[in-house]
Amino acid sequence: MVRVADGRWLKTGVVIGACALTSLAGCEPAAAPPAKTSPEGASPSKSAGAHDDHDHDHDHDHDHDAPHGGALVVVGDEAAHVEFVLDKETGKLTAYVLDDHAHEAVAVKHAELKIAVTIEKEGVDLPEAKEVTLTAVDAKDGAASEFVATIEELKGAEHFDAALDSITVGGKEYKGVTFKFPEGNEGHHH
């Protein structure tokens, strides 16, 4: 209760105080979510309910930083990210599978990832997409978080459009994940 100028006590003060405290609390869940397990058996990197050091809104319209400086591709509704890094001199394309906040590596049970690439490069005219297979690096128990391929047509490429054929994360398969390089799809995944 709040005492006002004329000496009356008002219960609305409690409500106002609670609202003020709630707004100061920021983006916190009403109850702790169930314990989070990382996709495909990887150990969790954060404690359940912990928030990362980026702005968080309820629509998930937020960008993450690509830890290797590549194109960040959202899989599902923030189920995971795949970062694509291109060495323009050699045409080596590396894909890193990362967690929902693009911080930690996540091993997926794939021996390879396939993408269809349409290359935008002077002197290279590929009207149809070229299928590319990226092979797992250092797979353990049939799972890996890094995949590579050297693609002759990507030497010197500044831009390309691509579609990840499929990837299974946390027991769920995602197909036809499209993106542009170097932009990724971070702002277009909804």
Side-chain angles (χ1 to χ4, degrees):
M1 295 178 67
V2 174
R3 188 173 192 162
V4 292
D6 66 1
R8 290 182 298 146
W9 290 92
L10 296 176
K11 292 180 182 179
T12 56
V14 173
V15 174
I16 292 169
C19 289
L21 287 174
T22 302
S23 68
L24 289 173
C27 183
E28 292 294 326
K36 179 178 176 181
T37 57
S38 294
E40 300 300 319
S43 61
S45 61
K46 306 269 183 216
S47 62
H51 285 283
D52 291 315
D53 58 348
H54 68 271
D55 291 334
H56 180 92
D57 68 25
H58 294 282
D59 292 329
H60 294 278
D61 285 335
H62 54 267
D63 292 336
H64 298 93
D65 293 325
H68 303 95
L72 206 54
V73 177
V74 178
V75 175
D77 187 23
E78 302 280 337
H81 291 80
V82 181
E83 180 184 6
F84 288 91
V85 178
L86 175 63
D87 180 334
K88 295 176 197 172
E89 289 183 25
T90 65
K92 179 182 175 185
L93 184 65
T94 305
Y96 299 95
V97 183
L98 304 166
D99 67 5
D100 57 341
H101 293 289
H103 290 175
E104 303 290 329
V106 173
V108 293
K109 292 192 182 260
H110 288 279
E112 58 190 24
L113 295 178
K114 293 184 183 212
I115 63 171
V117 177
T118 304
I119 301 167
E120 298 174 25
K121 181 176 133 184
E122 190 174 320
V124 175
D125 184 21
L126 289 178
E128 294 182 23
K130 173 184 177 75
E131 187 173 294
V132 175
T133 301
L134 289 89
T135 306
V137 174
D138 297 329
K140 293 181 179 102
D141 299 322
S145 62
E146 183 178 339
F147 299 81
V148 298
T150 299
I151 303 122
E152 188 68 30
E153 292 88 353
L154 287 181
K155 286 183 180 178
E158 295 290 328
H159 304 280
F160 62 85
D161 293 339
L164 178 59
D165 181 51
S166 79
I167 187 168
T168 301
V169 179
K172 185 172 180 182
E173 182 179 30
Y174 299 92
K175 292 185 171 195
V177 180
T178 60
F179 65 96
K180 293 183 176 291
F181 185 90
E183 298 89 350
N185 73 349
E186 184 79 332
H188 308 291
H189 68 279
H190 295 289

